Amino acid sequence: MDLILHEYSQSGNCYKIRLTAALLGVPIERREYDIEKGETRTPEFLTTVNPNGRIPVLQIGKRFIPESNAACFYLADGTALVPDDRFDRADMLRWMFFEQYNHEPNVATLRFWLAFVGETRLSELQRTLLPGKREAGEAALRLMDEHLDGRDFFVGDRLSLADIALYAYTHVAEEGGFDLSAYPAVKAWLERVAAAPGYVGMGA
Ligand SMILES: N[C@@H](CCC(=O)N[C@@H](CS)C(=O)NCC(=O)O)C(=O)O
């Protein structure tokens, strides 16, 4: 079945899917949209690709899976990136939900605001939200660091989708003004993920 990734290549959410596919050796075709020009908000995109107006979306034949972590799961279900053990599988999901609720809305949003929009172009509301997002982003990184202290990967003893989901925006967190030297266990884990066979960087 042909796989097409509807994406914006600078997005960590999209990168998660490319990284999962690369680690599994699964080829995917890529289709680029400029989110800053509203290309995911056109009537055609909303009708045919994702009514939620966002990328990434993984197209499988004529069907579409929005939400990065769901798309990663589609690719990895039944592979070594999803633990066999029932508890570990639920624990993997726990970290993927943590990523979407505690990590991405803070770490990724600050990266987008500061490195892509630019501090001087932020709206009044965005400026007001900045300190809270900084604090919440640091809290997420701290929790990751504590969990990884003495562990190689988030779940069990091997790489899973939990690592991929959290890697995507953590490895570029410094673009959002987060200083990763405060999180040594996170830094060591980033290197372990990057050493996985088949790994591709965000710009590949
Ligand atoms: N929870 C979604 C988040 C998707 C999302 O926020 N996508 C952003 C780029 S990373 C987007 O499409 N923004 C364009 C817009 O909202 O118009 C996921 O994990 O895929």
Side-chain angles (χ1 to χ4, degrees), residues 91-110:
D91 206 25
M92 176 194 82
L93 289 175
R94 163 254 188 136
W95 285 109
M96 293 167 82
F97 292 129
F98 164 84
E99 185 268 338
Q100 286 283 290
Y101 189 78
N102 296 86
H103 188 281
E104 193 257 18
N106 304 304
V107 176
T109 300
L110 282 196

Side-chain angles (χ1 to χ4, degrees), residues 8 11-14 16 35 38 40-41 52-56 66-69 99-100 104 169:
Y8 172 62
S11 149
N13 283 322
C14 300
K16 287 175 200 172
I35 57 171
T40 60
R41 301 284 167 164
N52 197 23
R54 289 179 172 84
I55 44 80
E67 295 298 329
S68 56
N69 290 344
E99 185 268 338
Q100 286 283 290
E104 193 257 18
Y169 283 111

Side-chain angles (χ1 to χ4, degrees), residues 78-146:
T79 76
L81 291 177
V82 174
D84 289 333
D85 178 79
R86 185 174 179 174
F87 181 90
D88 285 352
R89 221 165 33 248
D91 206 25
M92 176 194 82
L93 289 175
R94 163 254 188 136
W95 285 109
M96 293 167 82
F97 292 129
F98 164 84
E99 185 268 338
Q100 286 283 290
Y101 189 78
N102 296 86
H103 188 281
E104 193 257 18
N106 304 304
V107 176
T109 300
L110 282 196
R111 169 180 179 257
F112 187 69
W113 286 357
L114 300 179
F116 292 81
V117 179
E119 200 159 0
T120 53
R121 286 174 56 213
L122 293 182
S123 68
E124 221 28 63
L125 175 64
Q126 288 169 329
R127 256 177 242 284
T128 316
L129 293 173
L130 245 157
K133 288 199 172 281
R134 169 80 54 217
E135 200 180 317
E138 298 287 1
L141 292 168
R142 202 160 45 243
L143 193 122
M144 289 168 65
D145 202 61
E146 283 163 12

Side-chain angles (χ1 to χ4, degrees), residues 23-44:
L23 292 170
L24 294 171
V26 173
I28 47 173
E29 190 184 317
R30 297 167 62 174
R31 211 159 282 173
E32 183 81 8
Y33 297 79
D34 189 339
I35 57 171
E36 294 184 67
K37 292 194 179 136
E39 288 180 2
T40 60
R41 301 284 167 164
T42 62
E44 196 200 342

Side-chain angles (χ1 to χ4, degrees), residues 167-190:
Y167 178 85
Y169 283 111
T170 304
H171 87 297
V172 289
E174 297 198 327
E175 295 175 17
F178 294 96
D179 177 8
L180 290 180
S181 66
Y183 306 106
V186 166
K187 283 197 83 163
W189 162 79
L190 289 176

